[in-house]
Amino acid sequence: MNTATSSAPSAAEGSGRTPPAAALAALWRDAAMPAEALRHIALTGEDPILPSSFAIGTAAQVGIGVSALAATALWAQRTGRWQSVDVDMRHAMAEFRSERYLRVNGGAAPELWDKIAGLYPCGDGRWVRLHTNFPHHRDGVLRILQCAYDKDALRTALARWKAEDFEATASDAGLVVAAMRTFDEWQAHPQAQALRGLPPVIIEKIGDAPPIPFPALPAHAEINVDARPLSGIRVLDLTRIIAGPVAGRTLAAHGADVLLVTAAHLPAIAPLVVDTGRGKRSCQLDLRDQDDKRAFHKLLHGADVVVQGYRPDGLVKLGAGPEAAARARPGIVYVSLSAYGHVGPWSGKRGFDSLVQTATGFNADEAAAAGSAEPRPFPAQVLDHAAGYLLAFGAMVALHRRATEGGSWHVRVSLAQVGQWLRSLGRVPGGTSVPDQHIDEISDLLEVQESGFGELTVVRHAAKLSETPAHWTLPSVPLGTHAPEWLPR
């Protein structure tokens, strides 16, 4: 097998776009993973799949593909056997919209977006995007604007503001708002300049530790369906919304024991809890409480991987930052997600996929490509989902290194750096004219499974592994269903 979609040149190769095989190989080689693996993956399909002028199908296929390839490298490391991986772009793009296709008991999932979330024109003729899905973010915006909880009232209030002034005022108040910029405006911004040249995935050694071999696989692993690349690996998932939870869901699909840790006082978005909870156990700990904090640190001492998406100082103040975790648990793989990166003036700024799209020029570029006078978002939360699979990829690369050279490792991914990478894949002429997809058109990619929320219709994992098929052995469950403890290895 090889990474080319066919023996003939693809359309991407003649358009200035990066072919999926080349994009995947670049990520793989930058991570210094075994070159042999690239002989075992096949990518099929071609952009555009959904309406966008960017190669979002390539991003989906490559993100899912490179994470699956990392799983096969771990399997080869543990068994001496390589297996083949196949990823179709249409299936990958559907998985990048998994929350949109979720159905619960045959009906629609709970509403994802708050009623006033979205893009609004300001008095200076520019636009801002409000993210109000969390009640405290919604209430903070309404408090600044002194207006009713209504879109028309917000439009009237924002007409009295300049877009960047409102962005700054809201950000200073700890809220999540983005002024829309063109790509050129973003490139001139100090945050973009701080990120320039950084890869989408950063993997750094942060501590010394002897090599840690993988736990022994069950006897006769070659015929045991529960033996998978991450069998015996423990993952603490401290994330919410999409990117981090998708990373945890991906690690669970390859056999990890993933324990989601949240707290009753933290807001959550119901359909995302359901969709990204597949394969995970779920507990609740309030890290402000001393007993719960001790329980958390006990979990940390037994973990192999921590995935977290708090702001830079969030877990540091609780004694659970990357350096503290490496001291407490030598050999830890600490995985950090941020909105705008770990360097630069916006390194502590809150953000979500839709906001980063707006701030970094994607909404403006999509509008220009479609001939629209209004901002145009991606037809999927592409930055979130791509970040999720790249987080999982980075975690598995670090586990691969840990097993051979030892050390504690810190993996960093930001939505803004993923945006830089997406731009590097090139543009898709005429891509915005492709019709959007309805769930009926991807029914062959869905499966039905039971859960703690009832019967779910969900998108199957898009990567097909020949020997250890990715799957979720545990159903999605309500938050806090399980005790805060690890399963026996």
Side-chain angles (χ1 to χ4, degrees):
M1 284 187 156
N2 57 53
T3 51
T5 56
S6 71
S7 58
S10 71
E13 292 174 286
S15 67
R17 300 205 309 275
T18 303
L24 187 148
L27 290 172
W28 193 255
R29 292 180 182 124
D30 285 349
M33 290 294 278
E36 162 72 12
L38 295 172
R39 297 178 53 245
H40 299 279
I41 185 165
L43 307 177
T44 54
E46 189 172 3
D47 276 305
I49 304 293
L50 293 176
S52 175
S53 66
F54 288 88
I56 60 174
T58 295
Q61 184 179 48
V62 170
I64 292 172
V66 79
S67 65
L69 198 61
T72 68
L74 297 185
W75 186 248
Q77 195 174 36
R78 299 180 78 167
T79 67
R81 300 192 304 273
W82 287 97
Q83 58 179 312
S84 63
V85 182
D86 294 85
V87 186
D88 179 68
M89 189 180 291
R90 171 175 166 267
H91 194 163
M93 195 72 260
E95 192 166 359
F96 263 46
R97 302 215 299 184
S98 60
E99 69 279 0
R100 296 196 188 190
Y101 297 132
L102 174 69
R103 298 293 181 268
V104 180
N105 293 320
E111 177 56 45
L112 179 63
W113 294 99
D114 177 66
K115 72 175 187 178
I116 61 169
L119 284 148
Y120 294 84
C122 290
D124 59 353
R126 302 186 65 177
W127 293 76
V128 292
R129 177 179 282 278
L130 312 183
H131 195 287
T132 55
N133 283 6
F134 288 171
H136 64 292
H137 291 157
R138 175 198 66 209
D139 295 344
V141 165
L142 296 177
R143 188 163 50 249
I144 292 174
L145 294 177
Q146 293 291 297
C147 72
Y149 181 39
D150 175 82
K151 281 197 168 187
D152 288 337
L154 260 76
R155 290 189 187 97
T156 299
L158 284 166
R160 297 190 289 268
W161 284 81
K162 292 182 179 179
E164 290 193 17
D165 288 349
F166 185 68
E167 175 190 64
T169 299
S171 293
D172 289 345
L175 306 176
V176 281
V177 170
M180 191 175 86
R181 293 171 175 81
T182 65
F183 178 57
D184 288 343
E185 288 171 335
W186 171 245
Q187 286 296 92
H189 193 280
Q191 186 59 30
Q193 294 171 8
L195 298 180
R196 199 160 295 152
L198 291 181
V201 185
I202 297 172
I203 306 172
E204 301 171 322
K205 189 176 182 180
I206 58 170
D208 293 325
I212 300 177
F214 286 93
L217 288 169
H220 309 297
E222 66 275 6
I223 59 172
N224 188 323
V225 295
D226 291 328
R228 285 178 283 166
L230 291 175
S231 292
I233 295 297
R234 294 169 170 172
V235 178
L236 268 183
D237 184 348
L238 311 179
T239 64
R240 293 177 290 158
I241 314 303
I242 297 178
V246 163
R249 185 179 72 186
T250 304
L251 297 173
H254 294 299
D257 176 15
V258 180
L259 181 60
L260 175 65
V261 181
T262 185
H265 68 279
L266 295 176
I269 299 176
L272 300 181
V273 171
V274 178
D275 181 52
T276 64
R278 287 177 272 164
K280 305 177 187 179
R281 294 180 300 119
S282 174
C283 72
Q284 289 190 327
L285 292 172
D286 186 342
L287 300 188
R288 302 169 301 181
D289 176 86
Q290 287 304 309
D291 288 340
D292 281 7
K293 188 175 179 181
R294 280 191 288 272
F296 171 78
H297 280 278
K298 184 177 179 181
L299 290 172
L300 180 62
H301 279 265
D304 297 289
V305 179
V306 175
V307 185
Q308 66 88 23
Y310 290 93
R311 288 190 302 153
D313 61 348
L315 290 179
V316 171
K317 292 178 179 177
L318 295 168
E323 288 76 18
R327 289 192 296 270
R329 198 335 188 167
I332 196 75
V333 172
Y334 197 97
V335 181
S336 294
L337 167 72
S338 64
Y340 292 100
H342 67 287
V343 295
W346 279 13
S347 60
K349 186 179 176 67
R350 294 173 172 88
F352 297 98
D353 178 308
S354 56
L355 298 162
V356 177
Q357 285 186 42
T358 301
T360 62
F362 284 113
N363 290 173
D365 278 354
E366 288 280 66
S372 171
E374 297 191 355
R376 184 177 171 118
F378 287 143
Q381 302 298 103
V382 175
L383 304 183
D384 260 337
H385 282 272
Y389 293 103
L390 292 178
L391 287 163
F393 164 65
M396 287 187 273
V397 169
L399 287 170
H400 192 276
R401 294 182 186 179
R402 186 183 80 161
T404 55
E405 62 185 273
S408 299
W409 298 88
H410 191 186
V411 177
R412 299 181 191 266
V413 173
S414 77
L415 301 181
Q417 285 162 257
V418 170
Q420 286 187 159
W421 173 70
L422 173 59
R423 280 191 177 275
S424 76
L425 301 179
R427 301 295 290 273
V428 181
T432 58
S433 63
V434 173
D436 205 352
Q437 282 184 338
H438 187 268
I439 188 171
D440 293 342
E441 297 173 77
I442 53 100
S443 59
D444 58 309
L445 308 177
L446 305 176
E447 64 184 11
V448 176
Q449 54 187 227
E450 293 300 321
S451 79
F453 303 94
E455 185 180 81
L456 305 183
T457 301
V458 296
V459 179
R460 296 192 310 276
H461 190 50
K464 297 179 180 179
L465 284 69
S466 61
E467 193 169 337
T468 62
H471 63 280
W472 295 282
T473 57
L474 298 176
S476 295
V477 293
L479 297 175
T481 293
H482 299 97
E485 59 190 21
W486 292 115
L487 298 174
R489 290 193 192 270

